[in-house]
Structure formats: C-alpha cells, structure tokens
Amino acid sequence: MADSTGQEPAELGHTGAVAADPYDRIAWRDLYARSAALRELAAELAARHAHTTDLLADAFLAAYLAAPRVREAAEMAPSRRFNREVVAELAASPGFAALRRETAGDPYAAALAVLAEAPALRLLLDRTEPVREAADRAAEARRSAGRPARTTGETARQAGATAGALGAGATSADGAAGPASAPAAPAGQAASRAEAAARQALEAATPGIRAAARTATAQAVRVTREEAALMRAWGVGHGELERMPYEERARLAERLRTGRLARWAELIGRFRQMADGERARKVENATGELIGVTLGDDLSRVLPSELAHLGLPELRAVFAARYAAGELMLYDSRGEQTTGQGAVIACVDTSHSMYEEGPGGITREAWSKACALALLDQARHARRDFVGILFSAADKLQVFRFPADRPAPVERVLEFAETFLGGGTSYQRPLSAAAALLAEEFDTAARGRGDIVLITDDECGVTEQWTREWQEARHRLGFRLFGLAVGAPTATSSGSVLEALCDNLRPIEDLTDVRAAADLFRLI
C-alpha cells in the first residue's frame, strides 16, 4: 500500500554492504557498463534471485577499495543482510589479503575477481534461497507495520485542522482519532516475529556462507594471480595495464591465454627473470674478479706495496722508471667483455623442424621465442634498438623493429612471438638482412658494435662469395655473431658452418634449462 504521497514506504537501512563514496560507486557503474561478462552474470543471477546486483557491487568494492569497511548488520536494510553476511565472510577469508594485493585500486582486476567468485556465489545463492526469502518477508512485514502509523499520522493532522476550525478540544463525534492506531500493534509484532525468523535462518546458514566465501576467495586469488603472472611473463608492466582501457586489456588477456605460445608463458617468464638476474651481475668496464698479480702501467690496479715507494723520495725515480717501462706490479683480473652499442638483432629460425618437442614437451620454437623476448628486454634495458628477424627458407623472412626511443607495443611484441613461417632453413638471407640493418645504423647514427644472435635447429651451406661479403661487413661494422643451436648438436661440431661464422657458439639440448644461455646476457 502507498502512503499519502502515493509512494511505497522505503525500506530502512543501507542496501550496500560496503561503505563507499560516490566516486567509488561510479567506478563500479562505469566498469559494469563496459564489461559484457559482468552484465551477463548480473542478468543471470537476477533472473533467479533478488538483490544480486547489489551483491556483485559489494564484492567488487571489497576487492577494489584501498580500505574497505563492511557495514554492521544493524545498519543494513533487512533484505540486504544476507549480502552483508556474504561480503563479511569474503573479507574474513584467509586468502582475502592476498587477493587484494592483486586487485586494490585496479578496477579490471577487481572485476576479474568478481567473475572468478561467481561459480561459488551461484551455488551459494541456490542453496540459501529460503534464507533470502525469510529476509524479504521480514522487510515486507516491517514496511506493512509502518503503513498504519503513516495513516494514523495523517488522520491526526486532519483532525487537528478540524479542531482548529471548530474550537479547541473539538473532536469528531465518534472519537475515531484515538483508536485509529490500534492496528499498528499487531502489525509491529508480526514484523518483529518475521525479523527474528530471518535472523535465525541467517545464523543457521552462516557456516555454509563462510565455506562458500573461502572457496570463492581462493578461486579469485588463483585467477587474478595467473593473469598477473601471464602479463609479467609477456613483459606487460602493472603501470601499462592500469593505463590500458578495459576492453583492450580484456582482449589482451584473452589473446595471451589462447595464443600460440600460451602454453609457454611460464617458460617465457623464467627466461626473462634469468636474464634480469644476469644483468644485475654484469658490471661494464670494471676490473672484474681478481685472479693474481701481473705487470703493467695501469695506475688504478697498482699494488699498495708499489704505491708505498712514492712515499720515499729516494724510490720515486725507481717508481717512475718502472711505470714508464710498464713493469709495475698490478692486480690481475678477469673482467666482463665489452658490450655492444649498436642494435641487438635476434634471427629466429621458424622452419617446420622447430615444431619438434624436447624435454618437458617444450618445443624448439617456444625456447627460441622465449630467448628472443628476453633479448628484447636486454636491448631495451641498455637503450639499444632491437630487431627480431624470423626466417626459414630463402624466400621467407619477416622483420620486426623495436627502436630504443619508442615504446614496444605489446600487440607488436605478440605478433613477433606468434608468427611462424614454416619451410626450410637458409642462413644467408637473415644474416644479410641483419648486417644491412647494422650498416644502416652505423651510417645514420654512427653506432657500431651491434650484436646478432642466430637461433636455429639446422645447418645449411653458405656460398664463398657471401662469406667474403659477410667478413667484410663484420670487419667494417665491428659486430659479433652469437649462435644457439637448439636440439642440433651436429651444427656445433668442428668444421660446421656455424662454427666458422660465429664468434660465440653453444649447443642447447635441455629445453627446460633457461640457464644454458645465461652468459649471453652478460656478454650482450
């Protein structure tokens, strides 16, 4: 029944279990409008259960807010106390703190958590329908108890107006104003009984709600961590993700989960982590590890006993003579080799044989692409251009350029990683293309000493004419060629083409071992 204004009395109490300011609720509404998955979930649940959209909003805010506060049960509208209990149990779950490390302040990750919680919440809602029906009956009973009071109040106001017109103390002849409030008492008692029944039903359901909340939280932690690890494996930083529009981020996540190399995200992540550790060990232009004493004129490595001669006037001339002759005693060391300054170029074989699996079911392609992506990180860390050259037969070549002074778009990185040409194997064309790129860089930017990494699982011949031109280009440009023979030990045997071409060559047999190429990331 409506009141005198024509409106149904509003249910007292909050409908949202998580206290949030209007801006936070705008974040939820914006995300809801942009996420088809959230809207589909909300429509599915709303078709079967009441107040479920409010529950999804509360679950989102609990994961998203920096310091979420779950309202007390007494603050809630009776019909939403079930939602409040669910959210309170989610927040109290053992894994909730771990979940919030992935989701706090990140609306996309918070929405992902809600979607991950959906199966457990769906099952819980189906099992606890009687609990929410009892809450709705309590809410309706309370609204009904409020209607007579409003009617009585209106009657009293009308009676007062009449009394004012007739004179003080005047009442209607039948005295209706006094007993009009009598129906309110039974209605209030019925509402109290309904509320007590709803509380008892909710208390009985609490253990089941707690178990479902823990299951939902554990699932959300797993899903959000897996996606975060997937993004890190592909080199997509948290800052880049936060700037990415929701739709673009959702498409990227789907592509990473279903792409050609999706199975090997863990391998790619290990490769990048290993390369990062090797970079931390590398100290360029340093003296390196001390291994003994030698003679020379490097004053930065002179032994203290030699320097002591400078403190005696009569021995200073001896010191000067030995310095001039290069016969001072110095610390001998084994240091790192000088790194390049030009582009880093990864030539990756994508012939049919690269499909072959090695130990652990890892394909040669997966290992090679993981290594190439780590080389991309290496180049960007050193502010060097990176070029990925995919090759197979002489007529199949694709070049991906990533200049150091521009961002590396993740879509372009994925295109490089997922492209596979098929066919046979030819060294000459990719190496010639790499040399031409280094020559272009040398001529336009005066940068030399580039590094080429050839990753292949096959051996092929090269012509004498091409070899002469190759050696001339290497002499002029000062680049180095590193060779990685993946699953092809004969390609590294004495007298092989790769041995003749490469400055540094190694076989890769165990494809589960990312450290087989570890020193590459200290040399480049």
Side-chain angles (χ1 to χ4, degrees):
M1 179 185 297
D3 63 16
S4 61
T5 64
Q7 300 293 323
E8 190 71 21
E11 186 180 0
L12 297 178
H14 292 283
T15 58
V18 178
D21 62 38
Y23 294 104
D24 295 323
R25 295 202 175 273
I26 288 173
W28 159 251
R29 289 195 294 271
D30 285 349
L31 194 72
Y32 184 84
R34 287 183 277 126
S35 172
L38 277 178
R39 293 195 303 275
E40 290 169 5
L41 174 62
E44 175 203 341
L45 296 180
R48 300 163 59 188
H49 310 290
H51 318 307
T52 49
T53 303
D54 288 338
L55 176 59
L56 296 181
D58 284 331
F60 169 84
L61 292 169
Y64 172 69
L65 294 182
R69 181 182 73 83
V70 179
R71 300 184 195 276
E72 297 297 328
E75 301 179 69
M76 299 299 300
S79 61
R80 306 305 201 278
R81 285 176 185 163
F82 176 86
N83 289 0
R84 185 263 171 201
E85 192 69 20
V86 172
V87 175
E89 293 296 345
L90 285 173
S93 297
F96 191 69
L99 175 64
R100 285 183 37 75
R101 282 194 288 272
E102 304 291 345
T103 61
D106 185 342
Y108 173 90
L112 183 65
V114 173
L115 294 171
E117 292 165 350
L121 294 179
R122 187 183 292 113
L123 184 61
L124 173 65
L125 290 169
D126 288 341
R127 290 176 173 174
T128 56
E129 182 65 26
V131 179
R132 279 167 293 106
E133 289 177 349
D136 286 341
R137 286 193 296 271
E140 177 59 30
R142 179 54 60 194
R143 282 194 294 267
S144 297
R147 287 176 191 133
R150 287 179 171 80
T151 303
T152 301
E154 181 62 24
T155 302
R157 285 193 293 275
Q158 292 174 355
T162 303
L166 299 176
T171 60
S172 58
D174 58 5
S181 61
Q189 292 170 1
S192 297
R193 287 194 297 271
E195 288 177 355
R199 282 195 300 272
Q200 290 174 0
L202 185 58
E203 289 171 3
T206 295
I209 295 173
R210 181 175 301 119
R214 292 185 176 189
T215 300
T217 301
Q219 178 70 1
V221 170
R222 184 185 66 80
V223 170
T224 54
R225 278 182 172 172
E226 284 180 357
E227 181 154 316
L230 188 65
M231 293 295 180
R232 285 194 298 270
W234 284 96
V236 186
H238 187 70
E240 184 178 358
L241 288 175
E242 286 188 335
R243 294 189 298 271
M244 198 176 291
Y246 178 87
E247 298 84 353
E248 182 181 344
R249 185 168 171 181
R251 286 194 300 270
L252 173 61
E254 180 64 19
R255 182 173 179 181
L256 294 182
R257 282 192 294 267
T258 59
R260 277 179 50 80
L261 298 180
R263 294 171 57 198
W264 313 121
E266 189 270 340
L267 173 69
I268 293 169
R270 283 197 292 123
F271 236 113
R272 283 181 143 145
Q273 187 177 17
M274 177 274 293
D276 188 58
E278 294 303 313
R279 276 195 297 275
R281 293 177 57 189
K282 179 171 66 175
V283 180
E284 298 180 24
N285 303 319
T287 56
E289 178 188 359
L290 296 178
I291 58 173
V293 176
T294 187
L295 299 179
D297 60 359
D298 186 351
L299 296 178
S300 67
R301 294 190 288 144
V302 174
L303 266 62
S305 58
E306 290 278 28
L307 290 175
H309 293 165
L310 293 176
L312 301 173
E314 60 272 21
L315 294 179
R316 288 175 185 170
V318 176
F319 181 92
R322 295 180 63 183
Y323 172 69
E327 295 179 350
L328 293 174
M329 287 192 293
L330 313 176
Y331 287 119
D332 194 9
S333 63
R334 179 171 55 225
E336 304 290 349
Q337 296 184 27
T338 305
T339 58
Q341 298 298 319
V344 176
I345 302 179
C347 298
V348 182
D349 188 348
T350 59
S351 60
H352 282 310
S353 58
M354 295 291 282
Y355 277 129
E356 186 173 331
E357 293 184 357
I362 298 173
T363 64
R364 296 173 179 179
E365 178 201 8
W367 193 96
S368 301
K369 295 287 182 63
C371 183
L373 291 173
L375 287 169
L376 168 59
D377 289 348
Q378 186 84 353
R380 298 197 74 76
H381 185 269
R383 297 181 176 83
R384 298 168 67 183
D385 291 352
F386 176 81
V387 181
I389 298 179
L390 304 180
F391 71 94
S392 57
D395 62 339
K396 293 185 177 181
L397 188 85
Q398 196 160 345
V399 178
F400 296 82
R401 304 184 72 163
F402 298 91
D405 59 351
R406 296 177 222 162
V410 65
E411 293 290 335
R412 187 67 172 163
V413 173
L414 285 173
E415 186 181 357
F416 164 62
E418 294 178 346
T419 298
F420 194 88
L421 303 177
T425 303
S426 171
Y427 294 163
Q428 288 188 186
R429 191 175 176 201
L431 291 178
S432 293
L437 288 167
L438 292 177
E440 176 188 341
E441 182 181 38
F442 183 80
D443 294 338
T444 59
R447 286 198 299 269
R449 296 188 7 243
D451 290 310
I452 303 172
V453 181
L454 177 65
I455 310 175
T456 182
D457 71 338
D458 201 358
E459 186 175 20
C460 64
V462 294
T463 68
E464 184 178 343
Q465 176 63 28
W466 180 88
T467 302
R468 283 198 298 269
E469 293 172 356
W470 170 260
Q471 295 296 351
E472 290 171 2
R474 180 154 61 177
H475 178 72
R476 183 172 81 90
L477 302 173
F479 60 76
R480 298 176 295 182
L481 176 62
F482 297 84
L484 300 174
V486 184
T490 58
T492 61
S493 60
S494 178
S496 68
V497 173
L498 280 180
E499 184 191 44
L501 291 176
C502 296
D503 300 287
N504 185 300
L505 175 64
R506 75 207 62 198
I508 305 297
E509 297 180 7
D510 183 359
L511 302 187
T512 64
D513 181 15
V514 299
R515 297 205 61 81
D519 65 320
L520 195 66
F521 297 92
R522 295 196 302 273
L523 299 175
I524 291 180

